[in-house]
Amino acid sequence: MYSNTYNNDNFMAIRKLIDNNEFEKAYNFLKNIGEKCANWYYLNGISAMNLGYYEEGENSINKASTMDPENLEYKKALDNYVFYRDDYRDRSHRYNRRRHSDLDGCCCCCCCDDLCCCGGDCCEDCGKLWCLDTCCECFGGDLVSCF
């Protein structure tokens, strides 16, 4: 089986870098370690994800979990990542999704999944509401929350 008996001083130093949000230093330090154990893959995954290398990070944490399936730290990190990835995907799928229906040549639009209007001035109002909500969200707020 795989081993985690590599130079623990290196891994402690890398964990300290990660704790101090020095992800690029940790990532580069890891790249200089030749032999890779489950701990290496875990730390590489954490530093890679925090640098925006999500696919590499997921693959590394997945590999760490496979190499040491009893390690709860690796399992928790993988579970958290999968949860947030799936949640982000689901929210982005729903975000500003519009439904259009061709009912007697009438437009039907929805600002959110449940805030719909069909035809008339309502569509113009819905468009304005959508625009205001989008601007508000750019600054961290939320005028209309869509569930």
Side-chain angles (χ1 to χ4, degrees):
M1 198 64 183
Y2 298 98
S3 172
N4 269 331
T5 59
Y6 296 93
N7 186 340
N8 281 330
D9 291 339
N10 285 342
F11 290 129
M12 288 174 50
I14 293 166
R15 282 182 183 268
K16 187 172 183 173
L17 290 171
I18 289 172
D19 289 343
N20 292 328
N21 295 327
E22 297 183 68
F23 303 111
E24 191 167 352
K25 285 182 182 178
Y27 184 79
N28 290 333
F29 193 145
L30 285 160
K31 294 304 176 192
N32 292 321
I33 297 175
E35 293 188 51
K36 298 168 178 65
C37 61
N39 199 17
W40 184 95
Y41 282 103
Y42 169 74
L43 296 171
N44 184 68
I46 297 298
S47 59
M49 279 194 223
N50 282 284
L51 291 172
Y53 309 143
Y54 300 113
E55 188 174 346
E56 178 183 352
E58 181 181 11
N59 290 341
S60 289
I61 292 178
N62 202 1
K63 177 97 173 175
S65 294
T66 301
M67 292 172 77
D68 189 358
E70 302 299 316
N71 189 308
L72 296 178
E73 182 180 33
Y74 305 163
K75 182 177 176 6
K76 182 179 178 186
L78 184 60
D79 290 346
N80 284 340
Y81 175 74
V82 168
F83 172 80
Y84 286 111
R85 180 201 60 205
D86 292 348
D87 182 57
Y88 178 81
R89 184 194 62 228
D90 293 344
R91 285 185 294 119
S92 68
H93 176 72
R94 290 189 313 264
Y95 183 75
N96 288 332
R97 190 177 75 197
R98 292 180 172 195
R99 287 177 258 162
H100 295 280
S101 176
D102 194 345
L103 303 171
D104 299 327
C106 168
C107 106
C108 192
C109 62
C110 300
C111 298
C112 297
D113 285 340
D114 297 321
L115 179 59
C116 298
C117 60
C118 294
D121 293 335
C122 179
C123 278
E124 185 178 327
D125 292 341
C126 189
K128 289 177 185 176
L129 184 60
W130 171 77
C131 184
L132 287 171
D133 183 51
T134 301
C135 291
C136 188
E137 288 174 357
C138 286
F139 293 100
D142 192 18
L143 185 65
V144 178
S145 60
C146 302
F147 300 97

